[in-house]
Amino acid sequence: MREDARDGAARVSARGTDRDGRRAARDPRGGLYRARPVAGAGRPRAARQRDRDRPPALPRAVDSAARGAELRRGAVHRGPRRDVRRLPVRRASLAAGVALVPLGWGAAAAPLGMVGHMAGHMIAVAVAAPLLAYGVAGTRYDPAERWPAIVTPLAMSVVELVVVWLWHLPALRLRVDMQPLALVMEQASFLAAGVLLWSAVLGTATGGASDRRAAGVAALLLTSMHMTLLGALIGLAPRPLYAAMHHAGGGLDALEDQQLGGVVMLLVGAASYFIGGLAMLAGLLRTRTA
């Protein structure tokens, strides 16, 4: 019996632990040493240090409050895909946009001069395009969802600027007026540029909601400014820039038809982008002050 006790004591080191990392304790019943586990034994020292430095868990009440705030933020910034209540409105918007496309193209193809051209142009980029972009926002047909790194507000604003100014060069306007294929290309590019811009502004992106809205505000205001400038240049030009076009009837000459077309661009195009930018700016300010 004494030999067994000596053997058990010999297995215990001078630090009070055996070779398996268990601390020795005296058995009150038999007076022999019995090993019990040491907390954290067998784990690396760095892991035990991380456990000691880890902050304590939040109380359940604080955790519930944080979870509630997160859910409220999700309700504010919820993407259009999750908002089922707006689905009928989006479908109606998509249907209206699709119906307006042939109307605008018909106005552009009719022998109405610059007035008809500007009417078709504004219907495409300022009326049909936002309706179509809103109708497909958050779906698999949304360009901002499919290519979020490319379809960004400022980039698409620059694309829209290039497309609009390019097709209003006098040489290209004459070609469009004489060739139906060029007319189709022009109107299709107007519609595509408008849908991409409005989709980038309205759709979901990879960045935060505030960053996306701020970029959308800047893109819409930039588009409004260049539309205003182009409309003013066309409407205030002292001579006809598109003299070879078929001009509208009603006793209007080439210069008067051109001036009226510039007014249409100012009233419809520039105003729609400006109002859209102000509406997004108001929403952004409400979100940041909430």
Side-chain angles (χ1 to χ4, degrees):
M1 186 70 175
R2 292 180 180 177
E3 293 178 357
D4 294 339
R6 283 195 299 270
D7 293 339
R11 287 194 298 268
V12 179
S13 65
R15 296 174 57 188
T17 58
D18 62 5
R19 62 183 180 181
D20 295 330
R22 295 180 296 178
R23 184 171 296 161
R26 185 175 297 277
D27 190 348
R29 294 175 297 177
L32 299 178
Y33 285 99
R34 184 179 60 183
R36 59 185 177 86
V38 178
R43 299 185 62 199
R45 179 176 297 179
R48 295 197 299 270
Q49 183 66 29
R50 285 196 301 269
D51 291 341
R52 287 194 295 269
D53 296 339
R54 184 177 300 169
L58 292 174
R60 186 174 297 274
V62 177
D63 185 64
S64 300
R67 179 60 178 167
E70 181 180 355
L71 290 176
R72 287 192 295 272
R73 287 195 301 269
V76 173
H77 303 300
R78 185 179 294 118
R81 179 179 297 177
R82 300 179 183 178
D83 199 346
V84 182
R85 294 173 298 179
R86 295 185 180 180
L87 187 58
V89 179
R90 294 186 184 278
R91 289 178 177 174
S93 175
L94 181 61
V98 172
L100 285 173
V101 170
L103 178 63
W105 287 23
L112 299 176
M114 281 299 295
V115 176
H117 161 73
M118 284 299 181
H121 179 193
M122 293 302 103
I123 289 175
V125 301
V127 184
L131 291 174
L132 292 174
Y134 184 76
V136 301
T139 67
R140 60 179 179 176
Y141 303 106
D142 185 2
E145 285 278 345
R146 296 177 65 90
W147 308 290
I150 300 175
V151 184
T152 59
L154 292 178
M156 294 303 103
S157 178
V158 173
V159 170
E160 204 266 352
L161 183 150
V162 172
V163 169
V164 170
W165 283 73
L166 184 66
W167 283 110
H168 284 90
L169 294 176
L172 285 181
R173 283 295 324 130
L174 178 60
R175 183 174 296 274
V176 169
D177 195 51
M178 298 177 62
Q179 298 181 0
L181 180 59
L183 174 65
V184 173
M185 294 175 59
E186 177 199 48
Q187 294 300 315
S189 61
F190 283 158
L191 183 63
V195 170
L196 288 174
L197 174 59
W198 286 101
S199 175
V201 171
L202 299 175
T204 56
T206 55
S210 297
D211 297 338
R212 183 179 68 249
R213 291 185 181 183
V217 170
L220 290 180
L221 294 181
L222 174 62
T223 306
S224 175
M225 286 189 291
H226 85 74
M227 284 275 191
T228 302
L229 179 59
L230 182 59
L233 289 176
I234 294 175
L236 299 178
R239 60 182 179 83
L241 301 176
Y242 313 102
M245 287 183 59
H246 297 291
H247 296 287
L252 297 177
D253 58 15
L255 183 58
E256 292 173 343
D257 180 41
Q258 176 179 301
Q259 292 172 346
L260 189 56
V263 171
V264 172
M265 173 172 275
L266 285 172
L267 292 180
V268 181
S272 66
Y273 287 104
F274 183 71
I275 294 173
L278 290 182
M280 290 201 65
L281 179 60
L284 177 62
L285 294 177
R286 284 196 302 268
T287 302
R288 290 188 173 180
T289 56

